[in-house]
Amino acid sequence: MTTDLSRYDSSCLPNADVLSHQRYAIIVADWNADYTHPMADGAKQTLIENGVLEENILVQHVPGTVELTYAAGRLIPQPNINNRRSRFDAIIVIGCVIKGETPHFDYVCESVTNGVAMLNTKGVTPVIFSVLTVLDKEQAQDRSGGRLGNKGIEGAVTAIRMANLG
């Protein structure tokens, strides 16, 4: 049974003093905006509620889910640069892919999944995968603010935890 994981214990996160000095990026696909934009709003609001300053949050829009990987990669320093410190403590990618009648769904899901995994292997900046891969619009609604919560909120909590991983 799938549950709403958007409810979290904020006392398990670093305090606002720590988070007020951190920077986060939210990259959101405009394709399926009825679902991705509420997720992005949830992610941004969660970051702010936990102490991240609004001016330390970049929200960047891209056309679709496949483009999330490129945009995230642009925000991560290249390995050959001596100062490998990223200007962001974590990056959240938000998209929604709804299965249709063609194999396009499979290609998009595979592309973004592999792309985010590849970016994470660089070990410079955690890239958080908040991409819905659903069978229909009802499932997308349930996970973008409906009965199963908002996966953007979950992405923000995960980003905070990964940015502050000991």
Side-chain angles (χ1 to χ4, degrees):
M1 165 124 186
T2 305
T3 59
D4 176 359
L5 300 175
S6 301
R7 295 187 183 103
Y8 62 95
D9 181 359
S10 62
S11 69
C12 296
L13 300 176
N15 67 44
D17 292 337
V18 171
L19 296 178
S20 68
H21 298 288
Q22 293 183 336
R23 291 180 43 91
Y24 292 83
I26 300 169
I27 305 171
V28 57
D30 288 335
W31 190 262
N32 287 321
D34 289 347
Y35 314 111
T36 60
H37 289 186
M39 290 169 58
D41 293 342
K44 183 177 179 182
Q45 189 59 40
T46 300
L47 292 171
I48 292 168
E49 287 172 0
N50 284 285
V52 179
L53 302 178
E54 187 167 3
E55 59 266 23
N56 289 343
I57 302 170
L58 169 70
V59 177
Q60 193 170 62
H61 290 260
V62 297
T65 299
V66 170
E67 291 77 26
L68 294 169
T69 303
Y70 176 79
R74 295 275 312 227
L75 300 178
I76 298 173
Q78 297 302 309
N80 61 351
I81 297 174
N82 289 336
N83 180 6
R84 288 181 49 138
R85 175 119 170 91
S86 176
R87 65 184 226 221
F88 295 101
D89 293 279
I91 299 167
I92 305 162
V93 296
I94 295 176
C96 177
V97 188
I98 301 173
K99 189 166 180 73
E101 297 176 3
T102 69
H104 183 71
F105 172 87
D106 299 318
Y107 301 129
V108 171
C109 293
E110 183 176 353
S111 172
V112 70
T113 303
N114 290 339
V116 169
M118 185 179 67
L119 292 172
N120 277 316
T121 62
K122 292 182 178 185
V124 178
T125 306
V127 179
I128 309 307
F129 188 86
S130 289
V131 177
L132 300 179
T133 56
V134 295
L135 300 177
D136 55 43
K137 291 179 179 184
E138 181 181 351
Q139 288 181 349
Q141 181 60 47
D142 287 346
R143 291 160 176 79
S144 63
R147 69 180 183 85
L148 297 176
N150 183 317
K151 301 307 177 186
I153 293 171
E154 292 177 31
V157 173
T158 301
I160 291 169
R161 292 185 62 198
M162 292 304 293
N164 293 283
L165 195 61

